[in-house]
Amino acid sequence: MINTLNETHLHKTLKAIYASENEGSLTEQPVGDYIADVVTKNGDVIEIQTGSLGHLIAKIMYYIEEKRSVTVVYPLPCVKYIETTDFTSGKVSRRKSPKKQNLYSMFRELTALCPVILNRRFTLEVIESTVTEERKTTEDAVQSKNGRRRFPKKWLKTGKRLESVGKKHVFHGKSSYRKLIPKGLEDEFSARDLYNALKDGVPGLKMDNIRLMIWVYVHAEIMECTGKKGRSSIYRLK
């Protein structure tokens, strides 16, 4: 139960959903030196990850070495609300975050998973979600719990709450990742070509999303660089 002490509503809810969808599953089960979120009756593992996917790489590789299939569930916060509780009055304020994410935003998280992306025992499920981030103000400016703040701020994150789930995207094997490349770009294209082909249909798409996507695809051997055209690198799917 120690593993669940700091569990957020978001993580707990998705864990319960996946356990109920897989009859005979058990939650919080020891697998070697790790605790798996869900272990199915066949011994396969489901991991719910609401933070950085890179933190799971050692776990995933261990499960694969143990010949277990691994499904990583990643709730992508396409819509996020921020709910802040004032530490003195207890008053709660709520606002919509201006930050926008789309399916291509996930590639920032996938950079650490390149060694396992195409492993036959690995599946990634990305769920477009509406999430509320819970915060509480503090009297003094403080560092975040994970120590990542550049400058201290007068609030801390206290949890994440799942409001609703939308479309689910399942990635397993090379063909599933290739589907994110628009038709007509299978042969040769630059990062700018890919961005231009996607931008009208993907709200909030940034060039940085495309650069990270290409980096992941090249390192996972889904595509390769074939040379340069002017100052732009040219790629094609493998």
Side-chain angles (χ1 to χ4, degrees):
M1 295 301 294
I2 294 176
N3 204 47
T4 67
L5 289 179
N6 296 316
E7 188 175 31
T8 65
H9 174 274
L10 173 60
H11 187 277
K12 183 178 180 179
T13 302
L14 287 173
K15 184 173 67 176
I17 289 172
Y18 273 81
S20 65
E21 289 178 348
N22 292 271
E23 187 177 352
S25 297
L26 296 173
T27 61
E28 297 301 316
Q29 294 299 298
V31 179
D33 293 332
Y34 297 102
I35 300 295
D37 285 333
V38 180
V39 177
T40 70
K41 63 181 180 181
N42 296 325
D44 296 331
V45 173
I46 300 172
E47 287 287 343
I48 314 298
Q49 184 64 356
T50 61
S52 172
L53 291 180
H55 293 161
L56 285 182
I57 185 63
K59 251 187 173 185
I60 294 168
M61 295 182 76
Y62 176 80
Y63 295 148
I64 289 174
E65 288 170 1
E66 291 294 303
K67 302 189 184 307
R68 297 175 186 264
S69 293
V70 186
T71 297
V72 171
V73 179
Y74 179 60
L76 182 68
C78 293
V79 179
K80 184 168 80 171
Y81 292 91
I82 297 172
E83 192 172 273
T84 304
T85 301
D86 185 271
F87 82 100
T88 53
S89 66
K91 183 178 179 180
V92 178
S93 61
R94 182 177 172 86
R95 63 183 176 86
K96 189 175 183 179
S97 172
K99 185 177 180 180
K100 297 184 182 297
Q101 294 202 68
N102 55 71
L103 183 59
Y104 294 84
S105 302
M106 72 175 181
F107 287 102
R108 182 171 297 280
E109 294 297 330
L110 290 188
T111 55
L113 299 189
C114 287
V116 299
I117 280 177
L118 297 186
N119 191 289
R120 64 185 180 86
R121 295 186 182 275
F122 178 77
T123 300
L124 174 67
E125 295 191 6
V126 180
I127 304 175
E128 296 182 15
S129 307
T130 298
V131 172
T132 293
E133 180 183 290
E134 300 163 336
R135 299 178 178 178
K136 189 171 184 177
T137 62
T138 57
E139 185 173 5
D140 300 311
V142 295
Q143 178 57 270
S144 61
K145 292 179 181 179
N146 60 16
R148 292 183 179 178
R149 284 181 176 167
R150 186 175 180 183
F151 302 105
K153 298 179 181 179
K154 288 190 173 184
W155 58 266
L156 286 171
K157 292 181 184 179
T158 57
K160 293 179 183 177
R161 191 168 71 243
L162 180 66
E163 303 293 351
S164 64
V165 295
K167 189 174 181 179
K168 179 193 294 185
H169 306 268
V170 180
F171 297 94
H172 179 78
K174 186 179 291 187
S175 62
S176 62
Y177 291 94
R178 287 172 61 113
K179 289 178 181 178
L180 294 182
I181 304 294
K183 291 183 178 179
L185 290 184
E186 295 90 344
D187 294 329
E188 292 192 334
F189 55 90
S190 66
R192 179 60 62 178
D193 293 332
L194 182 53
Y195 174 78
N196 289 337
L198 289 168
K199 64 179 181 179
D200 292 337
V202 184
L205 183 70
K206 298 179 180 179
M207 193 65 193
D208 188 48
N209 300 145
I210 299 302
R211 293 191 184 100
L212 285 169
M213 177 185 183
I214 289 174
W215 190 95
V216 169
Y217 276 29
V218 168
H219 284 78
E221 299 186 355
I222 298 169
M223 68 168 59
E224 62 184 349
C225 180
T226 60
K228 280 186 170 287
K229 186 175 182 181
R231 298 177 63 182
S232 299
S233 295
I234 302 299
Y235 303 93
R236 68 181 176 196
L237 293 174
K238 297 181 71 173

